[in-house]
Amino acid sequence: MNNIKVIKIEEDMFPKTFSKFEERDFGILFYNEQNKNSYDSNHAVIYRNKIEDLGLVLDFITEFYTKMNIAPNIYQAVEDEGYFKEKETIFKKHGYSIWIEGPNNFMVLTAENNIKSSNNLEIKLITEWDERIAMDICIPSNESHEIEVIKNGINSNKYRVFVGYKENKAVAITYFHISEYDCCRFDYIIISKGYRKKGYARELLSYVTDYCRENYLMNCFQWPAHETSERLCYEAGFRHLFSAEAGRASYNTK
């Protein structure tokens, strides 16, 4: 498969690393009852060409998640751009609201790193849980739902978690995983509240992309959330490969 194909598959399947999942004829159901507030940990992915009756599929998904007291959410498969908007009437009839973002620019690490690092952080590859990740980074940054994701990632031999420390305090984190589909998905960079706009994201990304090059990791990709992040990724060596919208359907609980 070409790079775009494997990246699109990974973008649909990445929660396998930190969630339980069940496969169905229409797609896949991800869930984590210990982390119910995480959308990435709890959602279905459905495929246009595998569905005959969308209404029945939506009702099944609703029942599946509500039985676990998890808010039903559905992600649009990357390959099915435009599908949710096309079927919006059916989604609404079955209690779902549609949300579309993008197009998002998927970037792949193919160029040299042009970041001049200031070496202000002590950066470590984490192999066991450090409570400072929660107390210093995730909770102050309103990212508590990422705590369970990171914990599960650390326990996987496919995950890489890097933390930047300043004066013995965890202030920056990024993590990615090496996929079974011959690519690496960069998940997030989180900078603790109170430590932003100090160049720590730039320094951490520089360190991690150098790690990827030194360890010959292939097809490292991400899609930046905004223009500032995209400029930073470009400086680190990421280059645009393709664009795609992100679609989500959320169930309107009564």
Side-chain angles (χ1 to χ4, degrees):
M1 288 186 285
N2 61 37
N3 289 357
I4 294 178
K5 185 68 174 178
V6 298
I7 287 172
K8 286 184 174 181
I9 294 173
E10 174 60 21
E11 189 62 21
D12 292 340
M13 296 292 108
F14 75 91
K16 281 185 173 182
T17 313
F18 50 81
S19 293
K20 297 178 182 178
F21 61 90
E22 294 185 15
E23 297 184 2
R24 294 288 188 272
D25 291 342
F26 57 79
I28 190 164
L29 301 153
F30 297 103
Y31 61 98
N32 186 336
E33 295 181 85
Q34 281 69 54
N35 195 20
K36 293 181 179 181
N37 291 327
S38 168
Y39 289 134
D40 285 346
S41 301
N42 300 282
H43 68 270
V45 176
I46 61 176
Y47 295 94
R48 177 202 299 263
N49 62 0
K50 295 182 178 181
I51 295 173
E52 294 183 5
D53 188 324
L54 178 58
L56 288 177
V57 170
L58 296 179
D59 290 343
F60 178 90
I61 291 170
T62 302
E63 183 179 7
F64 180 87
Y65 287 104
T66 53
K67 280 183 175 179
M68 292 186 285
N69 198 29
I70 295 172
N73 281 280
I74 307 169
Y75 285 14
Q76 179 177 265
V78 182
E79 197 69 59
D80 289 343
E81 190 167 0
Y83 178 57
F84 279 20
K85 198 65 181 176
E86 175 190 326
K87 301 296 184 180
E88 186 171 11
T89 300
I90 299 175
F91 278 100
K92 285 184 176 180
K93 182 179 178 181
H94 290 265
Y96 285 85
S97 295
I98 301 301
W99 171 84
I100 303 294
E101 180 187 26
N104 301 302
N105 294 324
F106 282 73
M107 303 178 74
V108 177
L109 188 63
T110 57
E112 295 298 316
N113 179 10
N114 289 317
I115 295 175
K116 295 181 180 179
S117 181
S118 55
N119 296 316
N120 286 320
L121 294 176
E122 180 186 5
I123 300 174
K124 297 180 180 179
L125 173 60
I126 299 299
T127 57
E128 60 184 27
W129 176 247
D130 182 347
E131 191 61 27
R132 289 175 291 180
I133 296 170
M135 301 307 296
D136 296 346
I137 301 177
C138 293
I139 294 174
S141 302
N142 296 320
E143 299 282 358
S144 298
H145 56 276
E146 286 299 305
I147 294 171
E148 191 70 22
V149 172
I150 297 166
K151 283 182 176 180
N152 289 344
I154 290 172
N155 292 329
S156 168
N157 61 6
K158 293 294 185 181
Y159 236 82
R160 302 292 184 272
V161 178
F162 295 85
V163 178
Y165 295 89
K166 184 73 174 178
E167 298 174 350
N168 204 37
K169 190 169 186 176
V171 300
I173 188 170
T174 191
Y175 36 104
F176 66 85
H177 65 275
I178 303 166
S179 169
E180 62 184 289
Y181 306 108
D182 296 322
C183 59
C184 297
R185 184 186 192 272
F186 276 60
D187 292 355
Y188 288 99
I189 292 181
I190 305 174
I191 308 300
S192 182
K193 189 176 181 181
Y195 291 86
R196 295 166 188 171
K197 298 184 179 180
K198 297 180 183 293
Y200 295 156
R202 175 176 276 101
E203 186 174 345
L204 185 58
L205 186 60
S206 174
Y207 184 97
V208 173
T209 54
D210 284 347
Y211 173 92
C212 291
R213 295 180 185 92
E214 291 166 6
N215 289 275
Y216 305 101
L217 300 181
M218 304 298 293
N219 298 327
C220 299
F221 78 94
Q222 59 178 302
W223 51 278
H226 44 71
E227 289 184 4
T228 301
S229 179
E230 187 166 338
R231 287 195 297 270
L232 174 59
C233 291
Y234 189 92
E235 192 176 352
F238 288 88
R239 295 295 182 267
H240 180 268
L241 183 63
F242 68 95
S243 298
E245 70 178 23
R248 190 173 81 211
S250 298
Y251 188 68
N252 302 313
T253 55
K254 297 180 177 63

